[in-house]
Amino acid sequence: MDGRDLVRSMKTVGSAGVARGLRTVRVAWRRRRADAAALPPRGAERARVPGPMREVEPGPGGGVVRFGRSELCVLVAVNGAVFWGWDGAGPEPSYALAGRCPEPDPRAVLEPDKDGGWRVVAERATVAVSRHGAVEVRTPGGVVLRRELPPRWWEPVQGGPARWTQRSEVAADARFFGLGGRSSGPRLRDGTYRLWNSGPGRPGAAGEDVASVTMPVQMVVADAGTHLVFHDSTWDGTVVLREGEEGAGSGHDRPGRSVLRMDGGPLRCWVMVGTPARALLTWASLTGAPALPPSWALGHHLARSGCGDEQELRRVVAGHQERDLPLDAVHLGSGHADAGRGFTVDEERFPKLAVLAEELRREGVRLVSAVEPAVAAPGSAVYDDGMRADVFVRDAVGSVVRGAGRSGDVVFPDLTRARVREWWGGLYEERLGQGFAGVWHDLDAPTSFAAFGEPTLPRSARHALEGRGGDHREAHNVYALCMARAGYEGLRALSPDERPFVLARAGWAGLQRYGGVWSGDVVSGWAGLRASLAQVLGLGLCGVPCSGPDVGGAEGDVPPELYLRWLQLAAYLPLLRTHAGPRAGLGEPWGFGAEVLGYARVTLAERRRLLPYFVTLAHLARRTGAPYARPVWWQSPEDRALRDCEDAFLLGDCLLVAPVLRPGSDRREVRLPRGRWYDVATERAYEGPAQVLADAPPGRIPVFARAGSVVPVRGADGAPELEVWAPARGRTGGGLVVPDAGDGWVEPEIERYVSRWEGHRVVVRREGEDGPGEPSCPVRVRGLAERPAQM
């Protein structure tokens, strides 16, 4: 925190927050002093490159290539993923991996390549290593997808972690995606992207796109093919991207470039080659299957900020019920806890919360509790118990690190230690006892409530890091991941018959194993609306399929039109969470007038109607790693026009959603992929690929259904129904349906349906081992009356 940040913080807190601001100053100086003492300046450094190749040693799935000043381990796993690590770095230990590294592929062998290099040939890719340490990933046909130039290290003369840089080249037509939940995405333009999880209020420097969920994961899409690349280091770093240019410079292509700079950690990399679906399937097999949420979690959530009490909670729920607004969960912000007693609900404002929670559950509404990693110190029972168990983060001299929280000084558990995660997960028993059905983690970067986005732990703070030992420079980015793991495993142990519901604000690679992501404090404006879509799509391409924004954002006034368009977008995203303030009607649909209320009712009803489809997408994500919300190029990455489309998305395989992202729009252009598409409102048919002009009146946004698709929905009576969109004549369609009990761990069977024309009618059959069968629920066919529109 520099002087300008300090002034900005003091202006923000105002006179009512002077005490908190002073605590912020004290913590900032304390942090700076600790880092100055424990992390001396790097001083002189030595630069190093691998040097010339000396020898090779074949091994399972690849082998080791030794150079003059380093060595490179290359491994192809049985799942098709390619790994390489420099300076003896192996795949483990890693916070990203789900358990052990996959077994090596016995068919992949190290063999000589041209110009004195070596290569490993596998089914989906060839990895070639040059004499000076460049690494190329090629398609089976020999086309280069990615070229990693020889890395460079800068090692302190007096000892310490080495900084390193990895420069990469991709095809001139390639497009970059990923790096976590980036507001400027989903396609990442030329610029610098920091790999350091930020907290609320963290301002970004010029050209820097900060995010609460960052990870060194890129999906690169080009004509020659798609690949996902992951550089497995949790340290602070930056990625500088520059797209290529075809025909640049005397008719030659200029390749796209990625320059990764890390302040430390191992230089190791995973690459997955194939279609986008294949790459994410391999990624999920490596980093873990996405957690399956309970079905109620795919409905409408309302987050309440600020304080409140039981009467306020009853009023909120009754307000939705009286206005016929579907509501499935209410999230209580951190203000519902007793800040002076740590992990305990404030019993003065919520004296009978367990009774109220049970009443609401019978009405179909669950309660979700906000949890922060900060523990009030001293005086709370959690603090006293934690001190006895020695669970809190300490500094380089062995003292417990203190930060600034809502009620004063706070301390933080070291969640990079297994026994501390078990201890922390056991604390969730109090929340379950109060009737909460899930948790959402706030300020888990970790960030102090009073520090306005500044990391509250000094970089020199010590962490266990699963027994390896290290400091906060290495632990910062995975702290929230470890907190999500502690919450997920704790809830599962405490309530083994129910699926845990955990939302994280921050995270890292592998976060999908434990739950989803909420966007944090998105700015309340049209830019925030566009950022919401970008963040969800970016996270999906990094293997986190379940995420969503707070509708309306968290700061500033929200015009009625913006609120409505944001709600209409969120209704088709994995997590639908509206955000309301402490005052009655602030952020709730009826606070924007009767017209918006009517449209909001229709929007929320449509989300409830599509709930069986979202349940199916959740099950498919768990089995395949595919996100619910996908870029429109998902099935046609070779289509360059689709690669540049950022204002629409696919919801599963069946629906294309085109939200309204600009004010005053009642029509918008929509780019359709190949095939026939139906406007779901008018049932008018269009033949793609094409760009069409679709109506977008205030009451709805354009949504298109793929011809032949089978979409599970709720019928008018609430029972399951199959909505089938007629295939084009001479073609067939189909879809997958996963029936779900709503909760529990039973793995339901996937139902596969095929739709086709038979004479003058559309017939839908369920495929099975014994041949075609009848559907398990009623069928409604749409799109029968329309012929393709003339373009």
Side-chain angles (χ1 to χ4, degrees):
M1 172 179 287
D2 58 22
R4 288 175 295 180
D5 291 334
L6 176 59
V7 172
R8 183 164 51 247
S9 299
M10 297 300 292
K11 288 181 178 179
T12 304
V13 300
S15 58
V18 170
R20 187 196 312 155
L22 292 176
R23 288 199 302 272
T24 302
V25 176
R26 187 175 71 247
V27 169
W29 282 114
R30 188 188 302 162
R31 184 174 63 247
R32 280 178 171 270
R33 187 168 60 249
D35 286 345
L39 301 176
R42 296 182 63 90
E45 295 179 318
R46 285 189 294 260
R48 176 167 61 90
V49 295
M53 184 183 294
R54 298 296 189 194
E55 61 180 357
V56 298
E57 180 183 334
V64 176
V65 183
R66 294 187 175 89
F67 297 84
R69 304 179 191 89
S70 185
E71 68 177 33
L72 175 69
C73 172
V74 181
L75 166 72
V76 178
V78 291
N79 63 358
V82 175
F83 170 84
W84 64 79
W86 287 94
D87 282 358
E92 301 175 32
S94 171
Y95 278 102
L97 299 187
R100 300 301 303 273
C101 172
E103 293 294 321
D105 185 348
R107 299 169 298 175
V109 295
L110 188 64
E111 62 185 32
D113 194 20
K114 60 184 180 180
D115 298 329
W118 290 75
R119 67 184 180 185
V120 179
V121 180
E123 179 182 1
R124 298 180 201 145
T126 296
V127 185
V129 183
S130 77
R131 291 181 298 138
H132 294 282
V135 180
E136 288 186 351
V137 179
R138 305 169 184 164
T139 68
V143 178
V144 177
L145 293 176
R146 185 179 193 89
R147 185 169 191 263
E148 305 272 6
L149 302 179
R152 297 178 182 178
W153 293 267
W154 286 266
E155 301 168 332
V157 173
Q158 301 299 325
R163 298 184 296 118
W164 53 266
T165 295
Q166 179 66 72
R167 296 168 297 156
S168 310
E169 294 180 347
V170 296
D173 67 286
R175 297 290 182 262
F176 298 101
F177 301 87
L179 296 181
R182 299 288 174 172
S183 60
S184 62
R187 172 184 162 193
L188 301 177
R189 261 69 173 190
D190 295 359
T192 300
Y193 301 87
R194 191 180 180 190
L195 299 171
W196 185 259
N197 290 347
S198 65
R202 162 65 159 85
E208 183 184 14
D209 182 16
V210 296
S212 60
V213 183
T214 68
M215 57 184 81
V217 180
Q218 297 179 33
M219 181 171 283
V220 184
V221 183
D223 289 353
T226 299
H227 70 274
L228 184 147
V229 59
F230 168 52
H231 288 90
D232 192 357
S233 172
T234 67
W235 286 65
D236 191 3
T238 59
V239 179
V240 180
L241 299 179
R242 183 181 180 187
E243 291 183 348
E245 183 179 353
E246 294 179 293
S250 301
H252 297 287
D253 291 348
R254 177 173 59 80
R257 292 186 173 89
S258 170
V259 181
L260 175 64
R261 296 184 174 93
M262 302 296 287
D263 288 347
L267 203 174
R268 53 188 179 178
C269 180
W270 286 93
V271 175
M272 282 125 272
V273 176
T275 65
R278 169 62 69 177
L280 282 180
L281 176 63
T282 306
W283 176 247
S285 71
L286 186 71
T287 62
L292 183 66
S295 60
W296 62 262
L298 296 171
H300 172 212
H301 299 239
L302 173 68
R304 296 289 300 173
S305 63
C307 299
D309 54 22
E310 289 186 8
Q311 294 304 314
E312 174 68 10
L313 181 55
R314 290 181 183 275
R315 184 199 67 78
V316 169
V317 176
H320 283 75
Q321 293 173 338
E322 292 167 0
R323 296 168 176 85
D324 196 24
L325 297 171
L327 182 64
D328 298 276
V330 177
H331 295 214
L332 300 185
S334 299
H336 76 282
D338 187 335
R341 293 195 294 153
F343 220 83
T344 307
V345 172
D346 189 337
E347 295 181 355
E348 291 186 4
R349 290 184 290 120
F350 297 93
K352 298 181 180 179
L353 184 58
V355 176
L356 175 57
E358 181 58 31
E359 293 177 3
L360 295 178
R361 185 184 289 256
R362 289 196 295 268
E363 297 175 4
V365 179
R366 268 74 170 184
L367 294 184
V368 176
S369 173
V371 176
E372 298 175 3
V375 174
S380 71
V382 175
Y383 172 79
D384 294 339
D385 183 50
M387 289 297 293
R388 288 190 295 269
D390 187 22
V391 301
F392 298 122
V393 175
R394 296 180 178 271
D395 60 20
V397 297
S399 300
V400 174
V401 177
R402 296 198 175 190
R406 300 174 189 272
S407 59
D409 285 351
V410 293
V411 294
F412 293 84
D414 182 7
L415 296 171
T416 67
R417 189 190 301 269
R419 69 172 181 84
V420 177
R421 287 195 296 270
E422 184 178 0
W423 172 82
W424 183 261
L427 298 177
Y428 288 65
E429 183 176 11
E430 188 267 352
R431 291 295 200 267
L432 293 180
Q434 292 287 351
F436 288 103
V439 295
W440 57 288
H441 293 164
D442 199 2
L443 304 180
D444 54 352
T447 305
S448 170
F449 174 78
F452 298 95
E454 286 291 310
T456 194
L457 291 174
R459 293 182 175 233
S460 58
R462 304 299 298 173
H463 291 268
L465 290 168
E466 317 309 322
R468 293 179 289 110
D471 56 40
H472 196 64
R473 293 175 297 176
E474 185 176 358
H476 175 83
N477 280 337
V478 295
Y479 189 93
L481 173 72
C482 293
M483 183 175 176
R485 178 179 180 180
Y488 180 88
E489 293 177 347
L491 290 174
R492 183 159 188 181
L494 293 166
S495 186
D497 296 330
E498 298 181 0
R499 303 173 201 158
F501 177 67
V502 178
L503 279 182
R505 182 188 200 132
W508 203 66
L511 178 63
Q512 74 278 358
R513 299 192 295 263
Y514 313 117
V517 174
W518 65 287
S519 62
D521 296 334
V522 178
V523 62
S524 297
W526 290 93
L529 170 61
R530 292 187 289 272
S532 298
L533 176 57
Q535 290 172 342
V536 171
L537 293 178
L539 285 168
L541 294 176
C542 291
V544 183
C546 186
S547 64
D550 278 348
V551 172
E555 301 177 359
D557 295 329
V558 182
E561 181 191 9
L562 173 60
Y563 175 85
L564 180 60
R565 293 308 194 186
W566 212 321
L567 179 65
Q568 290 167 342
L569 164 63
Y572 295 95
L573 296 178
L575 174 66
L576 167 58
R577 191 171 101 150
T578 54
H579 187 91
R583 300 194 305 276
L586 182 61
E588 291 153 341
W590 56 86
F592 295 95
E595 184 179 24
V596 170
L597 174 62
Y599 294 145
R601 183 181 299 114
V602 173
T603 301
L604 294 176
E606 177 65 8
R607 171 62 176 236
R608 176 154 291 186
R609 191 182 76 90
L610 289 174
L611 187 59
Y613 185 49
F614 277 94
V615 169
T616 291
L617 294 178
H619 278 277
L620 295 179
R622 179 168 180 79
R623 301 186 191 204
T624 68
Y628 309 18
R630 310 163 184 178
V632 292
W633 48 259
W634 176 259
Q635 294 178 327
S636 303
E638 72 283 353
D639 189 330
R640 296 191 180 188
L642 293 180
R643 289 208 296 260
D644 294 337
C645 178
E646 302 179 272
D647 58 357
F649 63 97
L650 297 175
L651 181 60
D653 288 334
C654 300
L655 301 179
L656 187 152
V657 182
V660 175
L661 304 177
R662 290 177 174 78
S665 301
D666 58 5
R667 304 188 81 187
R668 59 150 295 176
E669 292 182 338
V670 182
R671 183 169 293 279
L672 301 176
R674 289 194 304 267
R676 178 173 294 184
W677 295 86
Y678 294 96
D679 185 322
V680 300
T682 65
E683 299 194 19
R684 185 179 182 183
Y686 299 88
E687 287 291 338
Q691 185 160 305
V692 303
L693 188 62
D695 291 332
R700 62 179 175 87
I701 57 176
V703 178
F704 295 83
R706 190 189 302 272
S709 60
V710 178
V711 184
V713 299
R714 285 171 54 126
D717 59 354
E721 179 179 283
L722 296 182
E723 184 173 82
V724 179
W725 290 88
R729 291 280 185 176
R731 304 179 194 171
T732 62
L736 304 176
V737 177
V738 184
D740 185 72
D743 212 336
W745 300 100
V746 176
E747 289 284 349
E749 180 183 353
I750 297 179
E751 298 177 358
R752 303 175 185 275
Y753 290 95
V754 174
S755 62
R756 61 168 55 89
W757 282 94
E758 291 187 1
H760 298 290
R761 67 191 186 103
V762 174
V763 175
V764 180
R765 294 283 186 266
R766 179 180 175 181
E767 293 185 325
E769 295 181 356
D770 300 328
E774 293 298 320
S776 61
C777 55
V779 174
R780 183 166 64 100
V781 180
R782 301 185 63 184
L784 292 173
E786 275 292 338
R787 294 183 179 275
Q790 297 298 319
M791 304 302 298

